[in-house]
Structures are given as structure tokens and as C-alpha cells.
């Protein structure tokens, strides 16, 4: 059983910062890509940032220069450092990992339960 558990969300004022964390646990052979998505009320879930097992990253245009994704392979954890937050960043943030549970299995996507980020004065 694989679990992804997010933490670090909360209420922050515009211009503030938050650091989200997501730890994977369970039967995991290898984690490939890890990513953060977000979903605001009435909108579709969208990619915020992605990082490969080699450390290559890509970001949504809306967060470039304000967010940094990183990962700790040993801890099976991915982070999202968010700075200069704006009200439009308000959303539920979801962790995603494409991983294998065994040497012969194929990559499968797993999701965390989500953490609320609210940017408001």
C-alpha cells in the first residue's frame, strides 16, 4: 500500500511564503517523477511543478520565479517552496508521484489527499 502525505498548507498573507512537503511511504521500488498540482474552486486541476528522478524541473508559467520544487530521494519526499504568494494561488495542492511498487511493475500514478493553501489578507 502506497501513501503520499502532504503537509505545510495554511493561511498566509499576500507576499508571504509557504513550504509544502509530501512524503511517500509503503511498498515502493522506485519513484520516478514527482509533482505538485493544484485545484481552485470551479477550476480544473493543474500542474504547478514537476521534478524527475534526475532533478530536471518544469513549472507552470504562473509560478515561475516564485516557486521551487525539490526532492530528497532517501526520504522519498518532495517539497514545494512558494514565495511571493498571491490570492490567485489559493487552491488545494496535491502531491503526485509516478512510481513502481516492484521491479517488474510499470509506473503508476499516486496522489496525496491534498492540502489547502489560502492566500488572503
Amino acid at each position: 500500500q502506497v501513501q503520499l502525505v502532504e503537509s505545510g498548507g495554511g493561511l498566509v498573507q499576500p507576499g508571504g511564503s509557504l513550504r509544502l512537503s509530501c512524503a511517500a511511504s509503503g511498498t515502493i521500488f522506485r519513484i520516478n517523477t514527482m509533482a505538485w498540482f493544484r485545484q481552485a474552486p470551479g477550476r480544473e486541476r493543474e500542474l504547478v511543478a514537476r521534478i524527475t528522478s534526475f532533478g530536471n524541473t518544469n513549472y507552470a508559467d504562473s509560478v515561475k520565479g516564485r516557486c521551487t520544487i525539490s526532492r530528497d530521494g532517501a526520504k522519498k519526499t518532495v517539497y514545494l517552496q512558494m514565495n511571493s504568494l498571491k490570492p490567485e494561488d489559493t487552491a488545494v495542492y496535491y502531491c503526485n508521484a509516478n512510481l513502481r511498487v516492484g521491479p517488474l511493475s510499470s509506473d503508476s500514478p499516486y496522489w496525496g489527499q491534498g492540502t489547502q493553501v489560502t492566500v488572503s489578507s
Side-chain angles (χ1 to χ4, degrees):
Q1 185 98 7
V2 175
Q3 280 191 314
L4 299 180
V5 179
E6 300 110 332
S7 60
L11 173 64
V12 63
Q13 292 187 341
S17 298
L18 281 177
R19 188 190 194 213
L20 306 183
S21 300
C22 171
S25 63
T27 304
I28 299 171
F29 175 72
R30 184 172 67 202
I31 301 177
N32 293 314
T33 302
M34 303 187 81
W36 288 95
F37 287 73
R38 67 184 180 188
Q39 187 168 20
R43 301 190 65 175
E44 293 187 354
R45 191 173 295 189
E46 63 176 1
L47 174 69
V48 177
R50 177 184 285 122
I51 184 167
T52 70
S53 58
F54 298 104
N56 297 318
T57 60
N58 64 286
Y59 297 90
D61 288 343
S62 58
V63 303
K64 279 181 181 176
R66 300 189 297 119
C67 292
T68 302
I69 189 170
S70 60
R71 65 191 284 177
D72 184 328
K75 295 182 178 179
K76 298 185 178 66
T77 299
V78 63
Y79 307 95
L80 184 68
Q81 177 67 43
M82 302 188 293
N83 302 321
S84 303
L85 283 162
K86 306 174 181 180
E88 50 263 44
D89 293 317
T90 296
V92 178
Y93 283 70
Y94 296 91
C95 174
N96 166 267
N98 282 309
L99 58 87
R100 300 185 181 189
V101 297
L104 300 180
S105 67
S106 56
D107 284 1
S108 296
Y110 290 83
W111 294 89
Q113 80 287 353
T115 185
Q116 177 70 47
V117 171
T118 302
V119 184
S120 175
S121 55

